């Protein structure tokens, strides 16, 4: 039997090239060899997104993005977290097995407290229970589906470890392997994609190349990638260039060799190099953009795909809950 890979995607705005190369592509690659369950973590987003229109738009944008990038909903179970209510019953169940001390140690909560202390505010100012119990909801997402593998970035590894702890506490209490203990699959740091200013591409830095930017906007943004002041004739070092880093992600091996050689020879201006980057990037992204625009124009179809995914997810979810209720003495 194939092993199960599961991951949640928080719908918090426009997808960018960093999300595509660092998260979407590797997860789709993994889905070739695993039974994959990928979901939109909309209740996790609710902690920070209180505007209904924005949240709804973000859910659809992120869902359309994954589908446009090649997620096949016939092979990957793809759903909204909020459409699988078993998640929330399991989260309640797990609160009885998660010590408060464990949650006090969560990085995200500790960072929020520290930020308050730094500005001499009440340590708990602005911290809602959703942030505090975030790891329990995430444990429920994972444990509900007996996930073997959870592909995540570095900042999420601690949450997967907490899911392990909580699953073990349940299994120990009932002296039965009721919940599968999951493993994190760390998406390597080597894949940190730089943004327009050379720092990590991130929404928080405003330095992104949006994945589905229209062609003209993509071209304009690429022209804004920061370069040094070397003139056209000067030889350039491809290995320290943001532009060349991005080029490697989209170019064929022979194209990479050819452009690296032109960097080193001199005679290649930054403008020309950027035009070449635009060419290869747009070659890969144009078909994605087209699929994305078609999905974005047909929200009913998108919603139907997500609803069908939730329907498929709920069978196994009910069976996990049934197992737990029975073990706990809550089974009537
Ligand atoms: P942002 O930093 O723009 O808010 P998120 O934190 O929402 O992005 O990222 C979602 C996922 O996309 C992360 O788990 C991470 O794996 C991936 N990701 C985001 N930015 C990058 C980047 N610059 N390079 C590689 N992967 C990234
Ligand atoms: N917390 C994750 C993030 O911020 C998203 C997420 C929610 C998740 N539930 C999950 C990831 C379950 C993996 C498994 O990126």
């Amino acid at each position: 039997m194939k092993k199960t890979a599961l991951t949640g995607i928080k719908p918090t705005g426009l997808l960018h090239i960093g999300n595509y190369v660092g998260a979407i592509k590797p997860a789709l690659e993994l889905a070739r060899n695993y039974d994959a369950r990928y979901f939109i973590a909309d209740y996790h987003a609710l902690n920070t997104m209180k505007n209904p229109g924005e949240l709804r738009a973000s859910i659809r944008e992120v869902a359309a993005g994954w589908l446009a990038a090649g997620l096949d909903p016939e092979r990957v179970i793809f759903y909204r977290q909020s459409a699988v209510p078993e998640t929330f019953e399991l989260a309640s169940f797990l609160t009885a097995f998660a010590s408060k001390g464990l949650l006090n140690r969560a990085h995200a909560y500790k960072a929020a407290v520290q930020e308050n202390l730094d500005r001499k505010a009440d340590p708990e100012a602005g911290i809602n229970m959703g942030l505090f119990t975030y790891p329990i909801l995430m444990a429920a997402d994972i444990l509900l589906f007996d996930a073997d593998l959870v592909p995540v970035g570095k900042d999420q590894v601690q949450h997967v470890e907490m899911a392990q702890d909580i699953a073990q506490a349940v299994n120990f209490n009932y002296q039965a392997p009721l919940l599968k203990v999951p493993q994190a699959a760390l998406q390597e740091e080597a894949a940190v994609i730089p943004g327009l200013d050379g720092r990590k591409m991130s929404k928080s830095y405003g330095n992104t190349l949006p994945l589905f930017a229209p062609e003209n906007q993509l071209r304009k943004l690429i022209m804004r990638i920061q370069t040094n002041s070397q003139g056209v004739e000067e030889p350039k070092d491809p290995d320290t260039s943001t532009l060349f880093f991005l080029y490697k992600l989209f170019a064929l091996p022979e194209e990479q060799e050819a452009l690296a050689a032109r960097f080193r020879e001199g005679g290649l201006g930054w403008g020309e190099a950027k035009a070449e980057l635009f060419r290869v990037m747009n070659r890969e992204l144009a078909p994605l953009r087209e699929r994305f625009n078609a999905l974005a124009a047909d929200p009913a179809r998108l919603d139907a795909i997500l609803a069908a995914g939730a329907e498929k997810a709920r069978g196994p979810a009910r069976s996990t809950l049934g197992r737990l209720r029975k073990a706990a003495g809550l089974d009537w």
Side-chain angles (χ1 to χ4, degrees), residues 243-257:
L243 205 154
F244 193 75
F245 189 106
L246 293 170
Y247 188 72
K248 279 195 295 190
L249 303 172
F250 292 90
L252 304 169
E254 53 274 25
E255 290 171 327
Q256 297 177 30
E257 270 173 44

Side-chain angles (χ1 to χ4, degrees), residues 8-38:
I9 304 129
K10 226 163 40 167
T12 47
L14 292 185
L15 294 171
H16 56 69
I17 300 279
N19 300 141
Y20 175 61
V21 179
I24 299 178
K25 274 182 135 182
L28 294 179
E29 195 56 43
L30 201 68
R32 291 167 182 268
N33 301 316
Y34 282 80
D35 264 336
R37 283 137 212 253
Y38 296 160

Side-chain angles (χ1 to χ4, degrees), residues 3-293:
K3 294 199 164 188
T4 300
L6 174 142
T7 199
I9 304 129
K10 226 163 40 167
T12 47
L14 292 185
L15 294 171
H16 56 69
I17 300 279
N19 300 141
Y20 175 61
V21 179
I24 299 178
K25 274 182 135 182
L28 294 179
E29 195 56 43
L30 201 68
R32 291 167 182 268
N33 301 316
Y34 282 80
D35 264 336
R37 283 137 212 253
Y38 296 160
F39 68 94
I40 311 282
D42 46 6
Y43 257 92
H44 277 111
L46 183 63
N47 282 330
T48 51
M49 304 205 23
K50 299 292 197 289
N51 177 309
E54 272 171 29
L55 181 55
R56 194 178 292 116
S58 181
I59 292 168
R60 291 209 175 110
E61 138 95 24
V62 170
W66 278 77
L67 292 165
L71 186 150
D72 174 358
E74 296 299 319
R75 298 187 48 203
V76 174
I77 303 186
F78 188 52
Y79 54 96
R80 282 186 301 122
Q81 179 187 39
S82 62
V84 181
E86 289 76 12
T87 306
F88 311 106
E89 181 174 346
L90 180 56
S92 277
F93 187 97
L94 298 179
T95 57
F97 294 86
S99 71
K100 179 159 179 292
L102 181 75
L103 297 177
N104 284 339
R105 289 190 289 278
H107 300 317
Y109 170 65
K110 274 171 64 177
V113 169
Q114 192 55 50
E115 225 172 89
N116 283 332
L117 291 173
D118 289 349
R119 56 187 184 85
K120 311 240 179 312
D122 180 308
E124 306 290 342
I127 299 178
N128 59 36
M129 285 304 286
L131 172 65
F132 187 66
T133 60
Y134 190 108
I136 298 185
L137 181 55
M138 183 156 157
D141 294 331
I142 298 169
L143 301 177
L144 195 57
F145 295 106
D146 296 321
D148 295 286
L149 204 68
V150 185
V152 282
K154 216 168 65 187
D155 60 324
Q156 297 296 317
V157 172
Q158 188 198 31
H159 293 152
V160 180
E161 288 167 355
M162 290 185 170
Q164 295 174 337
D165 282 1
I166 297 171
Q168 278 158 347
V170 171
N171 293 346
F172 180 76
N173 183 71
Y174 299 110
Q175 287 295 301
L178 293 170
L179 295 172
K180 165 92 55 81
V181 179
Q183 300 300 321
L186 180 63
Q187 317 239 303
E188 280 304 332
E189 198 50 21
V192 171
I193 312 306
L196 302 180
D197 56 1
R199 292 187 295 170
K200 180 188 172 196
M201 187 179 293
S202 169
K203 281 191 292 285
S204 351
Y205 297 147
N207 64 353
T208 67
L209 288 169
L211 184 54
F212 301 113
E215 208 168 286
N216 312 345
Q217 194 194 342
L218 181 66
R219 186 185 284 109
K220 272 194 205 142
L221 286 170
I222 288 178
M223 290 301 162
R224 287 202 348 226
I225 294 174
Q226 284 178 19
T227 50
N228 59 26
S229 55
Q230 284 181 304
V232 174
E233 294 311 323
E234 286 180 75
K236 300 176 179 63
D237 180 7
D239 300 326
T240 56
S241 158
T242 300
L243 205 154
F244 193 75
F245 189 106
L246 293 170
Y247 188 72
K248 279 195 295 190
L249 303 172
F250 292 90
L252 304 169
E254 53 274 25
E255 290 171 327
Q256 297 177 30
E257 270 173 44
L259 194 72
R262 291 202 57 205
F263 262 69
R264 295 193 179 99
E265 277 160 17
L268 173 73
W270 289 122
E272 191 188 340
K274 286 174 174 176
E276 173 60 8
L277 173 60
F278 169 75
R279 185 184 71 80
V280 294
M281 218 181 242
N282 196 49
R283 178 176 66 192
E284 178 164 337
L285 298 184
L288 267 71
R289 190 189 298 127
E290 209 169 294
R291 285 197 292 273
F292 176 82
N293 289 337

